[in-house]
Amino acid sequence: MPKLKTAHPLLTLSMEAMIDQIVHRLKPCPEEDIYRLVHALLSDGLQQLHQHVSQGKTDLGIIDAIVSNTCRVGLSLPSGAIKTRFEADFGSVRNMDLCEYVTKLYQWQQMLRQAIKQRPRKLMLSLFSPFLVEFEQQKFEDVEVPGQYLRLTDSSDDFVRIERFIPELRVVLRSNGVLRMLAIRGTDGSIVHFSVQHFTSRYNHQEERWVQFFRNLDAAGEHDRNTWEQRRIALHLPTIVSLAPHIRLVQEQPESFSLQDVYDKACLRNGTPEIAPALYAVGKMNELISQLPSIDAASEVLFEHICQTMVPASLLQDDVRMHAVSPMEYWLYRENFTYQVSASIALTYMIACTQRAPAKLSISRATGNICLHDLVPTQATPGLIHSKEAVPFRLTPNIQTFVTELGLEGIVPFAIYKVIQRFTDVEHLLRDFLDLY
């Protein structure tokens, strides 16, 4: 940084002013911050509930880690009615069972979600940062659009500069939090959207390294691939730019959605809570264990029953069909989605990336391209990538139904083979990059 200030003082001043405005002026409001914390507690509770069900345990006591996290969240809340109500609901968290704990957290999440939905989804950027709105007059030197230096290029002469910030700030409500989304117009007329993510996890820097590893490895062998392969089996990796240890910009498409969004919309239409399958599994599992010879057999029967009654295998297919303009567009979308699922399977299997929750697959509404988030390997020991999961990738019934049997038997194995072949063809670079990352 000192060398940059010495060589390009005006550029450094413009960049520091822009980053300072994004970091300090686009912070989440207290309700949005509480919503993020409640979702984190709910995820931990559901994960422990899943472990109890899969192991056939009847004791639904809450572990000490969740108790301490809940107490820590209660202490961090600002004084007022929300903190008083949270202490009244979770003051005796040690005496709760998991079902009661998860139900109360879900009620809190729904209450906060309704409060956030009542606020406008589009705001004027000038209300938060007049400097960014007038950036084209305030800057001292041209600044490139963030994320371009992550490319494997020899020169930055063709990089797009920032022309101006779009004066509209979008507020995006996700299942795991609320994001502020900026739009930047470049000198070539393109518009790039970035979400501002605060309070990121401790694995984010590791995720950035692995995303850059795949991006460099993919770009290194790009000249040996034909046009069809580059278009169909392209890797769509998130562009992540860290602004501070706990704040980063992530390039996203405004019309993208996740599998979690599809499920949430289906639950809203049917009037059922999202945690209904998890709560149903607790009582049903105890009943099945007494009737079947093993826990695995009981888990299989329970899974089939939930898929048939609560989470149909056609949710994703119906959602895409609802937004498709014509049968031809639906067919092309499904074909491209099948290739993208194959690429995601290959990447997650290579590094044993487990716990692929529905919210971690971002799907483009326009093209069907899949962008993987939280692409972090599972390490049994330092330096050894290993996973104990029987299926170390996501190929759930909803994805299988949408891809169809023809895609599962034809496109998926072929595309996985092509992705793996792409990396083995540059094995010498693979070894070099693994040493670096």
Side-chain angles (χ1 to χ4, degrees), residues 203-215:
Y203 299 110
N204 281 339
H205 293 299
Q206 189 178 6
E207 177 192 2
E208 294 170 17
R209 291 197 300 270
W210 280 99
V211 168
Q212 189 63 21
F213 165 75
F214 282 121
R215 182 181 288 113

Side-chain angles (χ1 to χ4, degrees), residues 7-20:
H8 306 280
L10 297 180
L11 174 62
T12 306
L13 185 60
S14 300
M15 290 177 59
E16 287 180 343
M18 180 185 70
I19 293 174
D20 183 73

Side-chain angles (χ1 to χ4, degrees), residues 210 213-214 346-353 375-378 385-386:
W210 280 99
F213 165 75
F214 282 121
L347 293 187
T348 52
Y349 178 76
M350 283 176 59
I351 63 173
C353 185
L375 198 63
V376 179
T378 302
I385 297 176
H386 177 69

